[in-house]
Every structure is written in structure tokens, then in C-alpha cells.
Amino acid sequence: ADEGRKSRYPTTDFCQFPEAICAAAESQEMRWVTSFFEWTERVQSYDDQVGWNYIRKLKDFVDGGLIDFDFLEATSGILTKGCHDPPCVGSGSTTNGGLGAGSIHLAEERLTNFQNILITLEAGGEPALVRALVQYFTDRQDIMNSQILQSQTPQGQLYPSYRYQLADFLSAMTYISETGAGGNKFYTGEARIPEGVRYGVVNAIMFLSQAYKESIQYDACDENNWQFVNDRFPLSNACGQLGMSYQEMHCREDEAYMQCPVKADMEQVALTNAGWFQAPGPFKCGPKSKYPTTGFWDYDQGRENNGDAYANALGRVDVEGCCWWGRGIIQTRGTCNYGKLNYYLGKRAADEGRVALYPQIDFCEFPQGVCSSDETYGGELQWMVGFFEWADRIQTYDVNGWNYIEKLQEFTDGGYKDFSFVDAVSGILNIGCHNPPCKGFGEAVVDPHNMRDRNDTFQRFLNQMQVARNFRPPPEPTPMPSPMPTEDPTEGVPTTAMPTTLDPPTEIPTITSSPTSLQGRPPEEAANAIKEKVSDSKARISDLLLMSEHPSGELWPSYLYTWEGFQLALKKMTSGIGPGEKNYFYIGDGYSANSLQYGLVNTAAFIAQGTIQSIYYDACDENSWEMVEFRYPISNSCGQQERSYQDEVCEGADEGMECAVDSQMEIHGVTHARWVGAPPPMYCGDRQVGYWDHITGLEEHEPPFKNERGRSDIKGCCWWGRGVLQVRGVCSYGRLNHWLGAKAAEQGRSSIYPDIDFCKNPGVICSDPRANELRWITGMFHWVQTVQRSRDYDFFPTLKTFVDRGDYTDGSFIGMVNAMLGGSPDDISKRTKAFFNALKAFNLITVETNSTGTPILTFCGVDFNDAGSKCTPCETNMDCTGMELCYTDVKACDPTLVDVVAEEAGSDGANTTMGSDIFSTPANNSTGGTGAGATQGANATNVAPGVAPLAMAMSIASSTNYCGDSWGNAATTCAIACPSGTDIECAPGQSCFGDITSCSNKIIDGGNNNKSEVANVGSNYCGVDWSDAHSTCSITCPGGTDSECPSNQKCFGDINC
């Protein structure tokens, strides 16, 4: 006021009378105003200039669902200590009055108060968890649509589920989580625990994995008639399967008033049934007056046979009162469950004055309403019924000390490792008890239907939804240090008296490489050298090169492009069957002094191009990105940038090699751009199409809309870009088929994929179970065809000159590559940066070191230990996110030490089952198609002398992955190999363990033909799954291919009958 500025308290001099805040007449208001003033002046404006900005972090906290309470801890630090991560840098008890020293006062109380206030204001608590849970699945809609909501034809082909849609899943989950039914809500997590939504995410994934095996996989709503009784399917299976009688599945005594009555005259007919050829028809029920006795389904004739009564497993030969079979997403069954549905969600709720979601459906009079009700309810009803039962029956399960919610939290906090939890949940859902085999709903002791598959599906979904990556388990408590050292310090290794000298290099090369041999099969020396280098560089390749941009702008490890896929593709493109003469990926000549460096530089340029084409976007299918009149034409699948992919025929020596265009072909892409409102995956078919409205998120097909080239249809437009280098056009796919696919096999030439016709199904690159390697292999082959064999540029002379000069920071070579491949200025910049990052990954560009010559290992983390556990590279604090800083000399992330630790750890780590040898013989398990694998196994060139080559389904000589109850058991028995590193290849009760080298010595030891031990490999048999093949041992498939088995079975290996 004295200096002429506006003043709220012109008569109060806070410098002379600071106590005025508490003692002045205006104190009641002043206590608030002065605090708000300090908050705006010191907290809201906080920015440490290296990445932590209060307003930005506040927005991140809100947008993230109000659950990341690290934000509150940081804010408390700013207010009480002056920095967001106290003790503050440079602080001390004698510095600045002690501000910044020590830890936050009453930190836990501040957090509790903050959470209570959020809940009071209805901004936090359960509503925040629901928002965060829904957002988690919304952000991963690509994975949900392409990996989880996929149904399967009887031939094993996957397609987007018609019946089960993501929008219905999210809508039903939101309703049951927010509103609930019968006093129960879907469990979304713990609001008072940092990242407490992780429990809700795991709960939802458990629900989805069970739903997949119950309904989604078959695109079915009604229960299938699947149980054999003496090799026949009784029609009375409608009354119950797995030893259960559905009409006798009563409620507890205190809930009996909700149960549906069983009416003898009720008639119902199911809507869906199994889709395999001549499968049993839909279930039905009716009175004995109409169906006196029932027989069985004759699958040879494809019809009912009621000539004689035929009993189900419980002896029923009629279907009277048997209308309570499973329906909906988790197959809700039994009179009690349908009664509860009606009481809380259906007509009975409405009749008795309670809120009813489906007031017109009487689930007791019309249980088939779950699947066959008025279309007004859409697909959401099938989800809602499942969520209701899950909240009412699964989440509340508490029997003999086994509590579902407690076990869910233990599994999550334990690092997502104890998968016996999954078997227990499968038992609760499917048969009513948690310790299978057990007696739950029925009288017989049984296992849940498809128990092993349910467990495998849950593990797959958990990985695909990236749970462990996004929610790390809480750290173990720090143990107290021992009072005295437990061991005496070790003495250092003495140095040699004189430094080791090396022979001087020759003045001129003794051998020059011939340009004509550059595309040929690489020598064994080159293959061994690249093998070792790629293996040593695994951590650096993953951290520097295989990173994708998340829609948030952050870089995350690529989900599609992995080191495992890269090394497997590199092996197949440089050795083994190979891609045909003059098509090998160049990795050096094997004898020049710089042979390895030549190969590494070629590999670096290839990965750099892959970065801008696919890796950076984590895409396999080409994104629809070209706009016409501010709209995205659906016909972009025909070609973008005025190209027409189906018209790009081969010329010159390859003339006539292109694929024929089939206007009736229909293919749906798997991936698409991930930004909000992005166009869906490309697709093709015989139809007129419109455009994608990125504002409404809908396709508009009336009127048809043309792409840049004038196409408004998508007939024959199935040749868009796919894989790491976006292979596109009929010529490129024709070359793939000619050299790598079915055409090569048909013409009697070697083929890496004899079972894949790239001309009939180009989408296989992204959708096949082997897509992890196909994405890379097709790109490497395309690189050979378009770059290594280019005559317009001096690719190899420029490469060798670049290497021989020894200055890997020189831009001449990548400049030539940029001239060859072109692209926007941003593409060229990213390609150049990726190229030099690759040279760093291969240690061709020296990593910055300190004065002692050791690498400066800098990684992001909340603290030093956190940086060592995550190993996220950084150069400055600006490279880190959130509360993380850039820490130096993090030896835990040194790749040279990581390899040693991994070797010593054996298979104890969750990610070691892939094996450490990048050139170990790959196996195609029958679940991924065995045709290619069988061919490769039979033609393998690295089988020891005296040992007959094995079919790929049986080949375990080079594998380091074996099944067992434990790592020691697997290493001792060497009974069953699991080359792909997944538990699905093992017998029930066993897991796949890696890094077991002793077994390969038992199979092939110095060329000795130990027939007794080779016999332990086992044989190939047909079955619905491995367990079925192992238990029946009825039909052999010696060639290792599914085509040798009945239509509903596959070929499984390593079976000792």
C-alpha cells in the first residue's frame, strides 16, 4: 500500500507484525489468503528446469486417473523442503536456514489426508480407479482388438470376434464397477495404494482370459455340446456337463428366495453351437411329452439320432427342465445364477420396485434371453451377465482360507509369477472349487475344462497387455546390514609384468572379395562372428534401437520388434535353409580383416531404415495416413502417395514373378496408428468404401469416397506395406513367395516357409504365430532385393570404404543410404540418428568413458537402485520422465555384467526361457504351424555326424530350453524340449526352463550316435492339445505337420507314449 500497489491488507505490516496472520482482526480469512499466496507463488510456479514442472505433473496426475501418489510426495517436498525430491541438492543444516535438508515431515499423514479429501470431493477413490481401469484398456485397444477379442475358425484361422466387441466390454465393465448389482461391484483396485489400479487390471485380465476360453475363442454365446460319453455326444448334455446337473445348482439357504423354479414344460433352443464340420447342434430343452427320450448327435451324418435313448455322464436320457446351460461371456449356468440375474437385473427387480437394467427380460422364464433377447440390448448383455456373476461369485469366493481378492493381491505384489493362482480361479469359475481336481458343483472329482489352456491364455494376455512393464511390484524391504563383514575381501588379480603385444597388421589386404559373392551364403566364420556380436549387444540393441513412440510422446520398448525376433530372422537369412542363392543378408565375407565390421554396418543401416518404417511406430501393417479433403479414405489400402500396389508388377529378370490379384480376397490388418481417432487397420474386399471420420471415430460409406488415385473400392487391395521395412506391392510379395514361401517348395527349391503362400495370404506377415520373426525376415529379404542388389548406387564399395577408413562418425555412408532411400527431412534425420545408435550398440562408436576407461553407464530412475533395475538410458535429466533423474555409473546395467549374471542365474529369471544362443535351432511348435519347421529340421546342415536329422517338431539337439518341475529337474531329465521358450510346450504341471546346456550334450556328444538317448526325444502325435495327444497316443504325424491330423486336431512333438 505504501508503494502504491493494490493491497488486501493495507494496514498490516507483515515484516513488523508476522503474528498478524493468527492474531489480527482479519485472521479468520488471513490464515487462508496468506497460504494461498505462498502456494501460488512457490508451489504452483515450481519448475526445476530439468523436467519437473508442477502444473505439468498435476495434469499428468489427473489425466492418469488420480492414482499416482508420487505426485503428492513430490508436492510435499516442494512445500516443506523447497525441492520435489528432498533432501535437496546442496542443502544442509547450516545452509539457507536448513531448508532442503532431511526428509518430509509427516509424509504418510499428508498422503492420507490428500486421499481422504479426494474421496470427499468425489474426485478420487473408486471413481478414479474406474476411470483409470477403463483408460488402461482404452489405451490398448489395438492389442485388445488384434490379440484378445479374436475368435478362431475350426481350421485355426483367427478373425475379429463378431459377437464380443471392445465397446461393449468397456461399457459393461464401467457399469458394474460404478453401479454394481446386488451390492457387489467389479473390483477395480485399492484407492489408497500407489498404482492401486494394478489389482483391477489383473482382475480384468483374469476375467478376459477365462472369457476367452469360455466364449470369445468360439465366438459363441450358448454352451457347446462338447463332452464325449463313450465316443458320442449325448443330447442330454444340455442338462449338464463335467459331472454337473445345472437344474440342481441351487442357491445357499439364505439366497434360496432368488432361485429360479424348474418348470417341466419350459422349452428353449440355443442360438449358437460349435462351428466345426458336422458339430453337435444347439442345445435344446423340453418336456418329456414332446421328447420322451433323447439320443446322441451322429457327427458322421451331421444330425440327431434318437432311435435309442442315450444317457449323459449323469445318466439323463431326457431334456425336461434342462434349460439352464451356460450362456454369455463366461457361460453363466444353473438355476441359482439365473435367479440372481432376474432378481437384480431383470424383470423381477422391476416388478418388485428395484432398479432393473433389463426390466423386460424374465431370466427365469426365458434364460435364453441372454443370447436371444431383443437386439436393443446389443452385445453388452452378454458381457453384463458375465461381469455380474464374476462380481457376485468369483470376487466374493472365500473358502477354507482361500480368498480371491487376497490371492489376487498376493499374485500381483509377488511379481506376477505364481500361476497356480490361475488354476485356482479356473476351478472356482468352471467347477465351483479352488483346488482342482476337486468336487465343486457336481458329485465327481474333476479338473476344470481346458485348465492348462486357461493358464496359458492368462499368461499371454498378461504379457500382451504389458502389465509387468507398467506396474512393477513393490520392492522387497531392505534387509538390516550385518554387524560385521561376512567374508574377507578378495584380492585383486595381479597385472602382468609387461603389456601384451599384438602382431602388426599386413600392409595390404591379402584377399579381396568378389562383388558377385556378396549375396551368396555367408561363410561359417562370418556367421559365428555376427552371432557372438549380436548376442553380446542384446541389451544395447534393445535399449538404443528397439524403442517405439507411445502416444504420450514417451519412448517405450517396442512390443512388436524384439531382439529375439531379430536374431532368429538374422540366423535364417544367413544360414540353414536360407533364402536362396544371391538372396542372403550380408554379414561380412568371413576372411577380410574388417569382415565383421562390414556386416555390422550393413545391419545398422537396415535397422535404421526399419526404425523409420515401422519400429518407431510399433506397427506391422501400414498405417492409413494420407488425407484427401481432410479425410482418410478407406481405399488407402489400395495405395498411398498416388501408388497402386496391385499394379506394381515385376520387371526385368523377375518379370512374371508377381502375385495374381484376386478381387475376392478379404484380409484385415492387425495394427494401425495409435493416436486418438486414428484410422483403423487397413482391409480389403469386394466392396465400395468411404472414409474414416477421425472426429467421430466412425467409418462413413455413403457416398463412396475416393483416395488420392481415384479409387473408391478395395477390390484386390490387399498388398499394403507390412513388416519392419513395409514390404508392399504384388511384385514384392511375389518375390517373397518365389524365394521364401510355398512357390519355392512347389517348384522343388528350398523354402524357409513352405506352408506359407504369400500370394494367397499376404497378411500372414503380421498375423501368423511366427510373426515375431516374419516381420524381420521379410524386411531383410526386401533389403537384399532393393538395397544390396541395387545397381544405381555403389552400396558395397561405399560401405567398405566407410569401414576401412575407421571413422565411424563420418556421415558419408549414411548419406549415400539416405540418397538411395529418400524420405522426408524428418525421416532422414531419424534414419541417421538410428544408424549411429546402431553403431553405438555394436560398439563401433566408442561409448563415452571416464578417466579410468570404464563406460559411463547413465540410466533413469527415482533413485540409484531404481535406475539399476530399469536400465532406461539417458544422457541428461531431461531424458528422464516423472520424478526420475539420470544417474551415472549404474553398473547393474552394464551389458558385460548383465550377461554374466544371466548366465549364473540360469532360468530363475522370468525372461530367460528364450535361451541365450541366437543360432540355436528354432522349432515351430504345432500351435504355430509345423510345415516350415519340419522342412527345415529335415534339411538342417548342422546336425552332428552319425545322428539322423530330426523333424523340426522333434529337433532339440541345439535347444537350451527343457521342461521340468524345476530348473534342476529339467536339466537332469532332459525329457521334453520347449524350443520356443513357452510353458505350453510342456506337460501339465511342468514349466519351460532355459539355459540348459547339459541336455544337448546328452543328445549329441562329440558325434557319438547314442541311440538310446536320441530315443528320449519322443515322437509326434495328433491331439486337440499336447495333453490330449500325450494321453491318447492314437494318431501319429511323423512329418510334424498339422495336415497329417484330423481337422480339429494339431500335431504335437516330444511325446513318449
Side-chain angles (χ1 to χ4, degrees):
D2 293 346
E3 295 177 358
R5 295 185 302 279
K6 284 187 176 181
S7 173
R8 179 70 176 174
Y9 305 110
T11 62
T12 302
D13 189 327
F14 290 102
C15 288
Q16 295 294 325
F17 185 37
E19 185 60 21
I21 295 173
C22 299
E26 306 97 328
S27 173
Q28 187 171 6
E29 175 197 86
M30 194 179 290
R31 289 192 288 266
W32 290 99
V33 171
T34 52
S35 298
F36 276 121
F37 170 74
E38 182 180 1
W39 190 267
T40 57
E41 193 269 340
R42 195 163 64 82
V43 179
Q44 285 183 195
S45 62
Y46 181 85
D47 189 331
D48 70 349
Q49 302 302 314
V50 290
W52 210 101
N53 176 281
Y54 174 82
I55 295 298
R56 187 171 69 246
K57 293 296 182 181
L58 181 143
K59 291 179 178 179
D60 290 345
F61 171 73
V62 174
D63 294 341
L66 307 174
I67 58 172
D68 183 5
F69 293 111
D70 289 345
F71 167 71
L72 187 275
E73 182 178 355
T75 303
S76 299
I78 297 169
L79 179 66
T80 63
K81 298 297 179 180
C83 66
H84 68 276
D85 188 19
C88 307
V89 176
S91 64
S93 59
T94 60
T95 305
N96 195 22
L99 180 65
S103 57
I104 300 170
H105 181 55
L106 299 177
E108 289 299 322
E109 287 85 345
R110 293 172 192 270
L111 175 60
T112 300
N113 292 339
F114 182 61
Q115 293 170 330
N116 287 338
I117 294 170
L118 283 177
I119 294 172
T120 301
L121 297 177
E122 297 184 353
E126 288 187 4
L129 287 172
V130 174
R131 289 194 298 271
L133 181 62
V134 171
Q135 190 63 47
Y136 190 88
F137 286 90
T138 302
D139 288 345
R140 290 155 184 81
Q141 57 183 306
D142 289 348
I143 300 173
M144 287 289 294
N145 288 324
S146 66
Q147 304 295 329
I148 294 177
L149 301 180
Q150 291 277 308
S151 300
Q152 193 173 33
T153 67
Q155 293 75 34
Q157 296 174 324
L158 295 177
Y159 65 93
S161 174
Y162 169 78
R163 189 171 301 278
Y164 299 105
Q165 302 290 312
L166 177 61
D168 297 326
F169 163 74
L170 295 175
S171 175
M173 183 170 68
T174 301
Y175 179 86
I176 293 295
S177 299
E178 291 181 341
T179 306
N184 296 312
K185 296 181 179 180
F186 187 76
Y187 177 65
T188 55
E190 299 296 324
R192 297 182 182 276
I193 297 177
E195 293 188 339
V197 73
R198 65 182 182 270
Y199 304 118
V201 169
V202 174
N203 187 38
I205 291 175
M206 178 65 77
F207 172 85
L208 283 168
S209 66
Q210 297 290 338
Y212 183 83
K213 297 308 298 183
E214 293 285 357
S215 300
I216 300 173
Q217 181 177 2
Y218 314 104
D219 219 5
C221 182
D222 291 279
E223 181 177 349
N224 291 339
N225 185 344
W226 60 264
Q227 189 172 28
F228 259 162
V229 176
N230 295 325
D231 296 327
R232 291 177 175 176
F233 296 102
L235 300 182
S236 54
N237 276 348
C239 301
Q241 301 186 96
L242 267 184
M244 291 179 278
S245 174
Y246 300 152
Q247 68 195 81
E248 296 176 5
M249 291 172 63
H250 303 307
C251 294
R252 299 193 314 261
E253 185 176 350
D254 59 322
E255 296 179 334
Y257 64 92
M258 291 185 276
Q259 182 174 301
C260 289
V262 176
K263 297 184 177 181
D265 60 348
M266 180 183 288
E267 293 189 49
Q268 306 278 291
V269 178
L271 178 68
T272 66
N273 63 304
W276 50 273
F277 181 63
Q278 295 189 339
F283 277 144
K284 64 181 180 182
C285 64
K288 292 181 181 179
S289 58
K290 186 172 183 178
Y291 307 112
T293 60
T294 55
F296 63 91
W297 180 265
D298 188 333
Y299 52 84
D300 292 324
Q301 300 294 322
R303 59 180 177 80
E304 293 182 1
N305 185 333
N306 289 304
D308 293 304
Y310 197 87
N312 72 354
L314 291 181
R316 288 291 296 266
V317 293
D318 66 279
V319 288
E320 185 173 87
C322 296
C323 306
W324 311 102
W325 58 78
R327 299 178 178 92
I329 191 68
I330 60 172
Q331 298 290 280
T332 296
R333 53 175 65 88
T335 53
C336 180
N337 285 326
Y338 281 102
K340 288 184 175 181
L341 269 178
N342 204 39
Y343 187 86
Y344 289 116
L345 300 180
K347 188 175 184 297
R348 182 176 176 184
D351 292 346
E352 296 178 0
R354 294 183 299 277
V355 176
L357 199 57
Y358 304 106
Q360 304 301 320
I361 302 179
D362 190 324
F363 292 103
C364 287
E365 294 292 332
F366 184 40
Q368 188 57 31
V370 173
C371 300
S372 306
S373 61
D374 191 287
E375 63 182 5
T376 302
Y377 299 114
E380 181 184 287
L381 172 57
Q382 297 165 102
W383 288 100
M384 195 72 72
V385 169
F387 275 117
F388 169 77
E389 182 181 356
W390 191 268
D392 174 72
R393 190 167 68 83
I394 309 302
Q395 291 179 183
T396 60
Y397 186 89
D398 189 352
V399 176
N400 296 330
W402 202 100
N403 179 282
Y404 173 80
I405 297 299
E406 291 177 358
K407 294 296 182 181
L408 170 70
Q409 293 173 349
E410 289 176 8
F411 170 80
T412 303
D413 292 341
Y416 320 102
K417 297 176 181 178
D418 183 7
F419 292 108
S420 63
F421 168 63
V422 187
D423 292 338
V425 178
S426 298
I428 298 169
L429 176 68
N430 198 233
I431 57 177
C433 48
H434 70 273
N435 52 344
C438 51
K439 183 169 63 175
F441 296 131
E443 295 299 321
V445 174
V446 293
D447 273 320
H449 187 220
N450 288 332
M451 181 171 73
R452 178 65 185 270
D453 287 348
R454 293 171 190 266
N455 201 313
D456 292 340
T457 300
F458 174 77
Q459 294 185 47
R460 176 165 65 89
F461 286 3
L462 197 70
N463 290 331
Q464 290 170 335
M465 294 301 290
Q466 305 166 345
V467 175
R469 181 188 300 179
N470 288 281
F471 302 112
R472 287 174 294 154
E476 295 289 336
T478 304
M480 292 293 291
S482 57
M484 294 292 290
T486 54
E487 295 182 3
D488 294 330
T490 58
E491 296 182 0
V493 179
T495 59
T496 57
M498 295 292 290
T500 304
T501 59
L502 300 174
D503 294 334
T506 57
E507 294 183 1
I508 58 174
T510 55
I511 302 177
T512 59
S513 59
S514 170
T516 58
S517 67
L518 292 174
Q519 320 296 333
R521 180 184 293 272
E524 183 178 354
E525 294 81 0
N528 290 336
I530 203 80
K531 160 192 172 180
E532 182 177 355
K533 193 64 178 179
V534 170
S535 182
D536 290 344
S537 305
K538 176 180 179 180
R540 294 187 294 274
I541 291 173
S542 299
D543 292 340
L544 289 173
L545 305 176
L546 305 182
M547 301 294 289
S548 302
E549 184 183 45
H550 186 262
S552 66
E554 298 177 346
L555 287 179
W556 287 16
S558 172
Y559 174 72
L560 296 178
Y561 297 96
T562 64
W563 179 87
E564 287 79 11
F566 166 71
Q567 55 86 16
L568 185 55
L570 186 62
K571 183 253 181 176
K572 290 190 174 184
M573 282 296 291
T574 56
S575 61
I577 292 175
E581 289 304 318
K582 298 185 180 181
N583 291 315
Y584 286 86
F585 188 81
Y586 180 70
I587 54 172
D589 54 35
Y591 48 77
S592 298
N594 290 328
S595 171
L596 174 60
Q597 289 79 359
Y598 295 151
L600 293 176
V601 169
N602 184 50
T603 305
F606 162 75
I607 295 178
Q609 175 66 357
T611 296
I612 68 168
Q613 290 287 313
S614 300
I615 300 173
Y616 188 75
Y617 309 101
D618 216 10
C620 182
D621 291 281
E622 179 177 348
N623 290 339
S624 177
W625 57 265
E626 189 169 53
M627 298 186 79
V628 175
E629 298 177 4
F630 301 102
R631 294 171 176 174
Y632 295 96
I634 301 299
S635 53
N636 275 349
S637 59
C638 300
Q640 302 188 93
Q641 290 185 314
E642 298 191 6
R643 293 174 62 176
S644 176
Y645 301 148
Q646 68 194 81
D647 295 321
E648 296 180 351
V649 298
C650 298
E651 299 176 350
D654 293 339
E655 184 176 354
M657 197 179 287
E658 66 272 358
C659 294
V661 176
D662 180 2
S663 62
Q664 302 299 312
M665 183 184 289
E666 290 196 14
I667 293 178
H668 285 261
V670 176
T671 68
H672 64 107
R674 296 183 291 176
W675 49 269
V676 177
M682 289 183 170
Y683 61 93
C684 60
D686 186 5
R687 70 192 75 172
Q688 292 284 316
V689 291
Y691 64 92
W692 173 261
D693 188 328
H694 60 284
I695 304 300
T696 63
L698 298 171
E699 291 185 2
E700 300 289 346
H701 293 294
E702 293 296 336
F705 190 78
K706 296 179 180 180
N707 70 356
E708 193 67 46
R709 200 177 166 89
R711 292 285 298 267
S712 59
D713 68 289
I714 51 174
K715 296 178 182 178
C717 296
C718 308
W719 313 100
W720 60 80
R722 297 177 178 91
V724 70
L725 289 197
Q726 294 290 282
V727 175
R728 53 174 65 87
V730 290
C731 180
S732 294
Y733 283 99
R735 287 171 176 162
L736 281 173
N737 205 40
H738 182 85
W739 291 109
L740 307 184
K743 187 175 180 180
E746 291 168 2
Q747 295 181 352
R749 291 178 282 109
S750 297
S751 172
I752 299 179
Y753 301 109
D755 61 325
I756 295 179
D757 191 323
F758 292 97
C759 287
K760 293 183 179 179
N761 185 14
V764 71
I765 295 173
C766 301
S767 60
D768 191 85
R770 292 160 287 179
N772 190 39
E773 67 185 62
L774 278 166
R775 289 187 284 261
W776 287 102
I777 279 188
T778 52
M780 289 180 180
F781 178 82
H782 189 65
W783 181 263
V784 173
Q785 296 288 314
T786 58
V787 177
Q788 290 184 193
R789 299 176 69 173
S790 173
R791 296 184 179 182
D792 297 328
Y793 291 85
D794 294 330
F795 180 77
F796 281 111
T798 307
L799 182 153
K800 292 191 173 185
T801 300
F802 171 73
V803 172
D804 293 341
R805 284 177 179 170
D807 181 7
Y808 292 106
T809 62
D810 175 50
S812 59
F813 174 70
I814 190 59
M816 184 270 293
V817 173
N818 285 330
M820 288 181 68
L821 303 177
S824 66
D826 185 55
D827 288 340
I828 292 173
S829 174
K830 287 179 180 176
R831 186 189 293 128
T832 302
K833 180 179 179 181
F835 174 72
F836 287 117
N837 276 343
L839 297 184
K840 292 179 182 178
F842 295 136
N843 272 343
L844 295 180
I845 293 180
T846 306
V847 179
E848 182 183 0
T849 60
N850 56 26
S851 58
T852 64
T854 58
I856 297 178
L857 304 163
T858 54
F859 297 90
C860 294
V862 177
D863 52 35
F864 187 85
N865 291 332
D866 183 52
S869 67
K870 294 191 296 187
C871 296
T872 303
C874 58
E875 295 181 3
T876 69
N877 288 335
M878 294 293 288
D879 297 327
C880 303
T881 60
M883 296 178 63
E884 297 179 345
L885 297 176
C886 191
Y887 290 87
T888 62
D889 200 27
V890 185
K891 290 185 172 60
C893 298
D894 186 341
T896 61
L897 297 179
V898 171
D899 292 342
V900 173
V901 172
E903 187 174 321
E904 293 174 351
S907 64
D908 294 336
N911 296 319
T912 61
T913 56
M914 289 301 296
S916 59
D917 187 349
I918 70 166
F919 286 78
S920 59
T921 302
N924 285 349
N925 186 279
S926 58
T927 58
T930 58
T935 303
Q936 181 165 343
N939 292 279
T941 59
N942 58 349
V943 178
V947 178
L950 301 172
M952 184 56 74
M954 300 166 60
S955 177
I956 63 173
S958 297
S959 177
T960 58
N961 303 335
Y962 287 84
C963 300
D965 300 327
S966 63
W967 190 91
N969 173 256
T972 303
T973 60
C974 300
I976 301 175
C978 44
S980 71
T982 59
D983 292 346
I984 195 172
E985 299 176 89
C986 300
Q990 294 187 342
S991 301
C992 185
F993 296 89
D995 296 326
I996 299 176
T997 58
S998 57
C999 293
S1000 60
N1001 296 331
K1002 290 184 179 183
I1003 303 294
I1004 299 175
D1005 184 8
N1008 294 328
N1009 187 1
N1010 190 331
K1011 296 181 179 179
S1012 64
E1013 294 188 65
V1014 172
N1016 287 336
V1017 173
S1019 302
N1020 302 340
Y1021 284 87
C1022 300
V1024 177
D1025 51 30
W1026 191 94
S1027 299
D1028 177 58
H1030 181 262
S1031 61
T1032 59
C1033 291
S1034 58
I1035 302 176
T1036 62
C1037 43
T1041 62
D1042 293 346
S1043 61
E1044 300 172 80
C1045 300
S1047 60
N1048 64 329
Q1049 296 183 5
K1050 294 182 179 180
C1051 184
F1052 294 85
D1054 300 324
I1055 294 177
N1056 293 303
C1057 291

